[in-house]
Amino acid sequence: MNQPSLFNMYNQTKAGVVFDPKKGIEISKLFPVSETRDLNIIPYKYHIYPTGETHPFSDMANNLKGSDFPFITSKSERGIKILKPMLSIHFDYPMITLQSLNEGNNTACILFHKIVGRAFFKPPKGLTWQECERKYVFHHKDNKTWNYRVSNLEHIPQKQNITGKKKKASRKDVFEQAKIRGLV
């Protein structure tokens, strides 16, 4: 069994997975200022890893169990912290808030699966992420937006993503959603 060196900074996720902070993908490089001036994420502060963490609701749903969820770390003078995505009743996709260098708005709220996709997929046909932003999306294969595992995402054309969706929700479905959200 290999023992970690005292001189290397190793950390552990809540799932008990040991990770090396030097091996994550630096998030500011995924959203270069030349492409997305509105984000301007602080360089070298945030890193993403493909697996090793649990879902915030893993104790409540079988399809969210496991330690194979991607995770983001935040580095500060106090050490390294694992950030959990924000989940909301009012928005279907997990999001993450990262500090930005922009004046006036020093945070950037980004869809978690978009960061995962940019980190672990390549843009199609040699395009930049900015060029394919409007034509391609990161699709959840099982259509469950809270399942942001790398293995559940695929990069597909926008048209293909729309074809699998229902045109109109049934009256019963609309009422059930209203009940769930406490509107009735």
Side-chain angles (χ1 to χ4, degrees):
M1 182 168 122
N2 289 342
Q3 296 231 346
S5 164
L6 294 174
F7 301 103
N8 289 338
M9 256 175 60
Y10 284 93
N11 290 292
Q12 195 171 17
T13 68
K14 291 175 187 153
V17 176
V18 176
F19 70 94
D20 183 350
K22 297 174 187 166
K23 294 194 176 176
I25 296 171
E26 215 262 297
I27 292 179
S28 71
K29 292 179 181 175
L30 303 175
F31 300 93
V33 177
S34 60
E35 279 187 25
T36 54
R37 295 189 200 296
D38 56 326
L39 291 179
N40 201 7
I41 297 166
I42 297 174
Y44 309 108
K45 181 173 178 74
Y46 302 104
H47 291 80
I48 186 166
Y49 300 81
T51 61
E53 188 56 296
T54 58
H55 191 279
F57 285 89
S58 61
D59 60 329
M60 299 176 87
N62 283 335
N63 67 327
L64 300 177
K65 289 192 184 309
S67 60
D68 55 345
F69 281 88
F71 65 98
I72 294 174
T73 60
S74 172
K75 186 176 176 183
S76 71
E77 53 279 342
R78 288 182 281 168
I80 295 175
K81 176 174 122 177
I82 294 174
L83 303 178
K84 286 285 189 182
M86 295 182 296
L87 301 161
S88 169
I89 293 171
H90 306 291
F91 196 69
D92 293 341
Y93 293 91
M95 299 181 84
I96 196 91
T97 302
L98 307 175
Q99 287 182 320
S100 171
L101 294 172
N102 289 342
E103 288 183 35
N105 184 11
N106 60 357
T107 60
C109 202
I110 307 169
L111 297 174
F112 202 87
H113 73 280
K114 188 174 184 177
I115 297 172
V116 172
R118 279 193 175 205
F120 304 110
F121 292 85
K122 291 183 178 177
K125 303 173 192 160
L127 301 173
T128 66
W129 284 119
Q130 184 182 26
E131 292 167 336
C132 69
E133 190 81 23
R134 291 189 179 138
K135 295 180 182 176
Y136 292 86
V137 296
F138 294 107
H139 172 73
H140 301 265
K141 293 176 188 175
D142 66 0
N143 292 318
K144 305 220 183 288
T145 58
W146 280 19
N147 183 358
Y148 49 84
R149 292 176 176 103
V150 175
S151 62
N152 188 49
L153 295 177
E154 60 185 341
H155 201 224
I156 64 171
Q158 177 69 34
K159 287 181 182 179
Q160 186 179 340
N161 189 44
I162 293 170
T163 57
K165 308 239 183 221
K166 289 182 185 178
K167 297 276 189 243
K168 186 177 179 183
S170 72
R171 196 166 177 262
K172 182 181 175 187
D173 289 342
V174 170
F175 184 74
E176 287 301 316
Q177 272 301 313
K179 273 181 25 181
I180 289 168
R181 293 184 182 212
L183 301 174
V184 184

Short mmCIF file of all heavy atoms in Angstrom, two decimals, residues 46-87:
data_model
loop_
_atom_site.label_atom_id
_atom_site.label_comp_id
_atom_site.label_asym_id
_atom_site.label_seq_id
_atom_site.Cartn_x
_atom_site.Cartn_y
_atom_site.Cartn_z
N TYR A 46 -10.15 27.49 -8.47
CA TYR A 46 -11.11 26.39 -8.56
C TYR A 46 -10.59 25.29 -9.49
O TYR A 46 -10.07 25.58 -10.56
CB TYR A 46 -12.45 26.90 -9.11
CG TYR A 46 -13.04 28.01 -8.28
CD1 TYR A 46 -12.98 29.33 -8.69
CD2 TYR A 46 -13.66 27.73 -7.07
CE1 TYR A 46 -13.53 30.35 -7.94
CE2 TYR A 46 -14.21 28.75 -6.30
CZ TYR A 46 -14.14 30.04 -6.74
OH TYR A 46 -14.67 31.05 -5.98
N HIS A 47 -10.79 24.05 -9.06
CA HIS A 47 -10.41 22.88 -9.86
C HIS A 47 -11.55 21.87 -9.84
O HIS A 47 -12.24 21.74 -8.83
CB HIS A 47 -9.14 22.23 -9.31
CG HIS A 47 -7.93 23.08 -9.51
ND1 HIS A 47 -7.61 24.14 -8.70
CD2 HIS A 47 -6.96 23.03 -10.46
CE1 HIS A 47 -6.51 24.71 -9.13
NE2 HIS A 47 -6.08 24.06 -10.20
N ILE A 48 -11.72 21.16 -10.94
CA ILE A 48 -12.76 20.14 -11.03
C ILE A 48 -12.11 18.77 -11.22
O ILE A 48 -11.08 18.66 -11.90
CB ILE A 48 -13.78 20.45 -12.15
CG1 ILE A 48 -14.93 19.44 -12.11
CG2 ILE A 48 -13.13 20.51 -13.51
CD1 ILE A 48 -16.15 19.84 -12.92
N TYR A 49 -12.73 17.76 -10.63
CA TYR A 49 -12.27 16.37 -10.70
C TYR A 49 -13.42 15.52 -11.24
O TYR A 49 -14.57 15.79 -10.92
CB TYR A 49 -11.86 15.88 -9.31
CG TYR A 49 -10.74 16.69 -8.72
CD1 TYR A 49 -10.99 17.91 -8.11
CD2 TYR A 49 -9.43 16.28 -8.81
CE1 TYR A 49 -9.96 18.69 -7.59
CE2 TYR A 49 -8.39 17.04 -8.29
CZ TYR A 49 -8.67 18.24 -7.69
OH TYR A 49 -7.65 19.00 -7.18
N PRO A 50 -13.13 14.49 -12.04
CA PRO A 50 -14.20 13.73 -12.71
C PRO A 50 -15.05 12.86 -11.79
O PRO A 50 -16.24 12.67 -12.04
CB PRO A 50 -13.46 12.88 -13.72
CG PRO A 50 -12.08 12.75 -13.20
CD PRO A 50 -11.81 14.02 -12.44
N THR A 51 -14.48 12.32 -10.72
CA THR A 51 -15.24 11.46 -9.80
C THR A 51 -14.63 11.57 -8.41
O THR A 51 -13.54 12.11 -8.24
CB THR A 51 -15.19 9.97 -10.21
OG1 THR A 51 -13.83 9.55 -10.20
CG2 THR A 51 -15.80 9.73 -11.58
N GLY A 52 -15.35 11.02 -7.44
CA GLY A 52 -14.82 10.95 -6.10
C GLY A 52 -15.71 11.54 -5.03
O GLY A 52 -15.42 11.46 -3.84
N GLU A 53 -16.82 12.13 -5.39
CA GLU A 53 -17.69 12.76 -4.41
C GLU A 53 -19.10 12.19 -4.52
O GLU A 53 -19.47 11.57 -5.51
CB GLU A 53 -17.70 14.28 -4.61
CG GLU A 53 -18.42 15.07 -3.54
CD GLU A 53 -17.93 14.85 -2.13
OE1 GLU A 53 -18.06 13.72 -1.61
OE2 GLU A 53 -17.44 15.80 -1.50
N THR A 54 -19.89 12.42 -3.47
CA THR A 54 -21.28 11.99 -3.46
C THR A 54 -22.18 13.15 -3.86
O THR A 54 -21.78 14.31 -3.81
CB THR A 54 -21.69 11.51 -2.05
OG1 THR A 54 -21.46 12.58 -1.13
CG2 THR A 54 -20.91 10.29 -1.63
N HIS A 55 -23.39 12.84 -4.23
CA HIS A 55 -24.40 13.85 -4.57
C HIS A 55 -24.99 14.38 -3.26
O HIS A 55 -25.12 13.63 -2.29
CB HIS A 55 -25.49 13.20 -5.42
CG HIS A 55 -26.43 14.19 -6.03
ND1 HIS A 55 -27.48 14.73 -5.33
CD2 HIS A 55 -26.47 14.72 -7.27
CE1 HIS A 55 -28.14 15.56 -6.12
NE2 HIS A 55 -27.55 15.58 -7.31
N PRO A 56 -25.36 15.67 -3.20
CA PRO A 56 -25.93 16.22 -1.97
C PRO A 56 -27.20 15.49 -1.49
O PRO A 56 -27.52 15.52 -0.32
CB PRO A 56 -26.26 17.67 -2.34
CG PRO A 56 -25.36 18.00 -3.47
CD PRO A 56 -25.15 16.71 -4.21
N PHE A 57 -27.91 14.80 -2.40
CA PHE A 57 -29.12 14.08 -2.04
C PHE A 57 -28.94 12.57 -2.19
O PHE A 57 -29.92 11.85 -2.40
CB PHE A 57 -30.30 14.57 -2.89
CG PHE A 57 -30.83 15.91 -2.45
CD1 PHE A 57 -30.30 17.07 -2.97
CD2 PHE A 57 -31.83 16.00 -1.51
CE1 PHE A 57 -30.75 18.31 -2.56
CE2 PHE A 57 -32.30 17.24 -1.08
CZ PHE A 57 -31.76 18.40 -1.61
N SER A 58 -27.72 12.08 -2.07
CA SER A 58 -27.46 10.65 -2.26
C SER A 58 -28.17 9.78 -1.22
O SER A 58 -28.46 8.63 -1.48
CB SER A 58 -25.96 10.37 -2.24
OG SER A 58 -25.41 10.74 -1.00
N ASP A 59 -28.48 10.35 -0.08
CA ASP A 59 -29.17 9.58 0.96
C ASP A 59 -30.67 9.46 0.70
O ASP A 59 -31.36 8.71 1.38
CB ASP A 59 -28.94 10.23 2.32
CG ASP A 59 -29.44 11.67 2.39
OD1 ASP A 59 -29.42 12.37 1.36
OD2 ASP A 59 -29.84 12.10 3.50
N MET A 60 -31.17 10.16 -0.33
CA MET A 60 -32.62 10.19 -0.55
C MET A 60 -33.07 9.51 -1.85
O MET A 60 -34.27 9.31 -2.04
CB MET A 60 -33.09 11.65 -0.54
CG MET A 60 -32.81 12.32 0.80
SD MET A 60 -33.25 14.05 0.79
CE MET A 60 -34.98 13.93 1.23
N ALA A 61 -32.14 9.17 -2.74
CA ALA A 61 -32.54 8.57 -4.01
C ALA A 61 -31.48 7.57 -4.47
O ALA A 61 -30.29 7.89 -4.47
CB ALA A 61 -32.73 9.65 -5.08
N ASN A 62 -31.91 6.39 -4.87
CA ASN A 62 -30.97 5.34 -5.29
C ASN A 62 -30.14 5.74 -6.50
O ASN A 62 -28.97 5.41 -6.58
CB ASN A 62 -31.72 4.04 -5.58
CG ASN A 62 -32.12 3.32 -4.31
OD1 ASN A 62 -31.50 3.51 -3.26
ND2 ASN A 62 -33.17 2.53 -4.39
N ASN A 63 -30.75 6.45 -7.46
CA ASN A 63 -30.00 6.82 -8.67
C ASN A 63 -28.96 7.91 -8.40
O ASN A 63 -28.16 8.23 -9.27
CB ASN A 63 -30.95 7.24 -9.79
CG ASN A 63 -31.69 8.53 -9.50
OD1 ASN A 63 -32.01 8.83 -8.35
ND2 ASN A 63 -31.97 9.28 -10.53
N LEU A 64 -28.94 8.48 -7.20
CA LEU A 64 -27.95 9.50 -6.84
C LEU A 64 -26.89 8.95 -5.88
O LEU A 64 -26.05 9.69 -5.40
CB LEU A 64 -28.64 10.72 -6.21
CG LEU A 64 -29.66 11.43 -7.09
CD1 LEU A 64 -30.32 12.57 -6.32
CD2 LEU A 64 -29.04 11.93 -8.37
N LYS A 65 -26.94 7.66 -5.61
CA LYS A 65 -25.96 7.04 -4.71
C LYS A 65 -24.63 6.82 -5.42
O LYS A 65 -24.58 6.77 -6.63
CB LYS A 65 -26.49 5.70 -4.19
CG LYS A 65 -27.63 5.85 -3.21
CD LYS A 65 -27.92 4.56 -2.51
CE LYS A 65 -29.10 4.63 -1.59
NZ LYS A 65 -29.13 5.69 -0.65
N GLY A 66 -23.58 6.70 -4.65
CA GLY A 66 -22.26 6.41 -5.21
C GLY A 66 -21.32 7.58 -5.05
O GLY A 66 -21.71 8.72 -4.80
N SER A 67 -20.04 7.28 -5.20
CA SER A 67 -19.01 8.32 -5.07
C SER A 67 -18.40 8.63 -6.43
O SER A 67 -17.24 8.96 -6.54
CB SER A 67 -17.93 7.88 -4.09
OG SER A 67 -17.32 6.68 -4.55
N ASP A 68 -19.22 8.53 -7.47
CA ASP A 68 -18.73 8.75 -8.83
C ASP A 68 -19.20 10.09 -9.42
O ASP A 68 -19.24 10.27 -10.62
CB ASP A 68 -19.11 7.60 -9.74
CG ASP A 68 -20.60 7.31 -9.77
OD1 ASP A 68 -21.33 7.80 -8.89
OD2 ASP A 68 -21.06 6.57 -10.67
N PHE A 69 -19.53 11.04 -8.56
CA PHE A 69 -19.94 12.36 -9.02
C PHE A 69 -18.73 13.28 -9.10
O PHE A 69 -17.84 13.22 -8.25
CB PHE A 69 -20.99 12.97 -8.08
CG PHE A 69 -22.37 12.43 -8.29
CD1 PHE A 69 -22.78 11.30 -7.63
CD2 PHE A 69 -23.23 13.04 -9.19
CE1 PHE A 69 -24.05 10.78 -7.83
CE2 PHE A 69 -24.49 12.53 -9.41
CZ PHE A 69 -24.91 11.40 -8.73
N PRO A 70 -18.69 14.14 -10.11
CA PRO A 70 -17.61 15.14 -10.19
C PRO A 70 -17.71 16.12 -9.02
O PRO A 70 -18.78 16.29 -8.44
CB PRO A 70 -17.87 15.86 -11.51
CG PRO A 70 -18.91 15.11 -12.21
CD PRO A 70 -19.62 14.26 -11.21
N PHE A 71 -16.60 16.76 -8.71
CA PHE A 71 -16.62 17.75 -7.65
C PHE A 71 -15.64 18.87 -7.95
O PHE A 71 -14.71 18.71 -8.74
CB PHE A 71 -16.34 17.13 -6.28
CG PHE A 71 -14.97 16.54 -6.11
CD1 PHE A 71 -13.96 17.26 -5.47
CD2 PHE A 71 -14.68 15.27 -6.57
CE1 PHE A 71 -12.70 16.72 -5.30
CE2 PHE A 71 -13.42 14.71 -6.40
CZ PHE A 71 -12.42 15.44 -5.76
N ILE A 72 -15.89 20.01 -7.32
CA ILE A 72 -15.08 21.21 -7.50
C ILE A 72 -14.46 21.58 -6.16
O ILE A 72 -15.13 21.55 -5.13
CB ILE A 72 -15.94 22.37 -8.05
CG1 ILE A 72 -16.41 22.04 -9.46
CG2 ILE A 72 -15.16 23.69 -8.03
CD1 ILE A 72 -17.38 23.05 -10.04
N THR A 73 -13.18 21.96 -6.21
CA THR A 73 -12.51 22.43 -5.00
C THR A 73 -12.23 23.93 -5.13
O THR A 73 -12.08 24.45 -6.23
CB THR A 73 -11.18 21.70 -4.75
OG1 THR A 73 -10.30 21.92 -5.86
CG2 THR A 73 -11.39 20.22 -4.53
N SER A 74 -12.19 24.57 -3.98
CA SER A 74 -11.87 25.99 -3.90
C SER A 74 -10.65 26.13 -2.99
O SER A 74 -10.63 25.61 -1.88
CB SER A 74 -13.05 26.74 -3.30
OG SER A 74 -12.71 28.08 -3.05
N LYS A 75 -9.65 26.83 -3.49
CA LYS A 75 -8.41 27.00 -2.74
C LYS A 75 -8.37 28.41 -2.14
O LYS A 75 -8.65 29.39 -2.82
CB LYS A 75 -7.23 26.80 -3.69
CG LYS A 75 -5.89 26.80 -3.04
CD LYS A 75 -4.82 26.50 -4.09
CE LYS A 75 -3.45 26.57 -3.53
NZ LYS A 75 -2.43 26.34 -4.55
N SER A 76 -8.03 28.48 -0.86
CA SER A 76 -7.86 29.78 -0.20
C SER A 76 -6.68 29.67 0.77
O SER A 76 -6.07 28.61 0.89
CB SER A 76 -9.14 30.16 0.56
OG SER A 76 -9.29 29.34 1.71
N GLU A 77 -6.40 30.76 1.46
CA GLU A 77 -5.28 30.73 2.40
C GLU A 77 -5.54 29.78 3.57
O GLU A 77 -4.63 29.34 4.24
CB GLU A 77 -4.91 32.14 2.89
CG GLU A 77 -6.02 32.95 3.48
CD GLU A 77 -6.92 33.65 2.47
OE1 GLU A 77 -6.55 33.83 1.29
OE2 GLU A 77 -8.02 34.02 2.86
N ARG A 78 -6.81 29.43 3.80
CA ARG A 78 -7.16 28.49 4.88
C ARG A 78 -7.09 27.04 4.45
O ARG A 78 -7.27 26.15 5.26
CB ARG A 78 -8.56 28.80 5.41
CG ARG A 78 -8.60 30.09 6.23
CD ARG A 78 -9.96 30.33 6.77
NE ARG A 78 -10.76 30.87 5.68
CZ ARG A 78 -12.06 31.00 5.70
NH1 ARG A 78 -12.75 30.62 6.73
NH2 ARG A 78 -12.71 31.52 4.67
N GLY A 79 -6.90 26.79 3.16
CA GLY A 79 -6.81 25.42 2.68
C GLY A 79 -7.72 25.16 1.49
O GLY A 79 -8.15 26.09 0.81
N ILE A 80 -8.02 23.90 1.28
CA ILE A 80 -8.85 23.50 0.14
C ILE A 80 -10.18 22.99 0.65
O ILE A 80 -10.26 22.20 1.59
CB ILE A 80 -8.14 22.42 -0.68
CG1 ILE A 80 -6.88 23.01 -1.30
CG2 ILE A 80 -9.04 21.86 -1.77
CD1 ILE A 80 -6.01 22.03 -2.04
N LYS A 81 -11.26 23.48 0.02
CA LYS A 81 -12.61 23.13 0.42
C LYS A 81 -13.34 22.55 -0.79
O LYS A 81 -13.16 23.02 -1.91
CB LYS A 81 -13.29 24.40 0.92
CG LYS A 81 -14.73 24.28 1.30
CD LYS A 81 -15.19 25.59 1.91
CE LYS A 81 -16.34 26.15 1.12
NZ LYS A 81 -16.90 27.36 1.66
N ILE A 82 -14.16 21.55 -0.56
CA ILE A 82 -14.98 20.98 -1.64
C ILE A 82 -16.30 21.74 -1.67
O ILE A 82 -16.98 21.89 -0.65
CB ILE A 82 -15.22 19.48 -1.42
CG1 ILE A 82 -13.88 18.74 -1.53
CG2 ILE A 82 -16.22 18.94 -2.43
CD1 ILE A 82 -13.95 17.28 -1.19
N LEU A 83 -16.65 22.23 -2.87
CA LEU A 83 -17.89 22.97 -3.04
C LEU A 83 -19.00 22.03 -3.48
O LEU A 83 -18.78 21.16 -4.33
CB LEU A 83 -17.72 24.06 -4.10
CG LEU A 83 -16.60 25.07 -3.86
CD1 LEU A 83 -16.53 26.05 -5.02
CD2 LEU A 83 -16.84 25.82 -2.55
N LYS A 84 -20.18 22.20 -2.93
CA LYS A 84 -21.34 21.41 -3.35
C LYS A 84 -22.19 22.26 -4.29
O LYS A 84 -22.32 23.47 -4.09
CB LYS A 84 -22.19 21.01 -2.13
CG LYS A 84 -21.58 19.93 -1.29
CD LYS A 84 -21.71 18.59 -1.98
CE LYS A 84 -21.30 17.48 -1.03
NZ LYS A 84 -21.38 16.18 -1.66
N PRO A 85 -22.79 21.64 -5.30
CA PRO A 85 -23.66 22.41 -6.18
C PRO A 85 -24.93 22.85 -5.45
O PRO A 85 -25.37 22.20 -4.50
CB PRO A 85 -23.99 21.43 -7.30
CG PRO A 85 -23.68 20.09 -6.77
CD PRO A 85 -22.66 20.25 -5.71
N MET A 86 -25.48 23.98 -5.88
CA MET A 86 -26.74 24.47 -5.32
C MET A 86 -27.88 23.76 -6.03
O MET A 86 -27.87 23.65 -7.26
CB MET A 86 -26.87 25.98 -5.53
CG MET A 86 -25.85 26.79 -4.82
SD MET A 86 -26.09 28.56 -5.08
CE MET A 86 -25.83 28.70 -6.84
N LEU A 87 -28.85 23.32 -5.26
CA LEU A 87 -30.04 22.67 -5.81
C LEU A 87 -31.25 23.45 -5.32
O LEU A 87 -31.32 23.81 -4.16
CB LEU A 87 -30.10 21.21 -5.36
CG LEU A 87 -28.89 20.38 -5.78
CD1 LEU A 87 -28.76 19.13 -4.96
CD2 LEU A 87 -28.98 20.05 -7.25
#
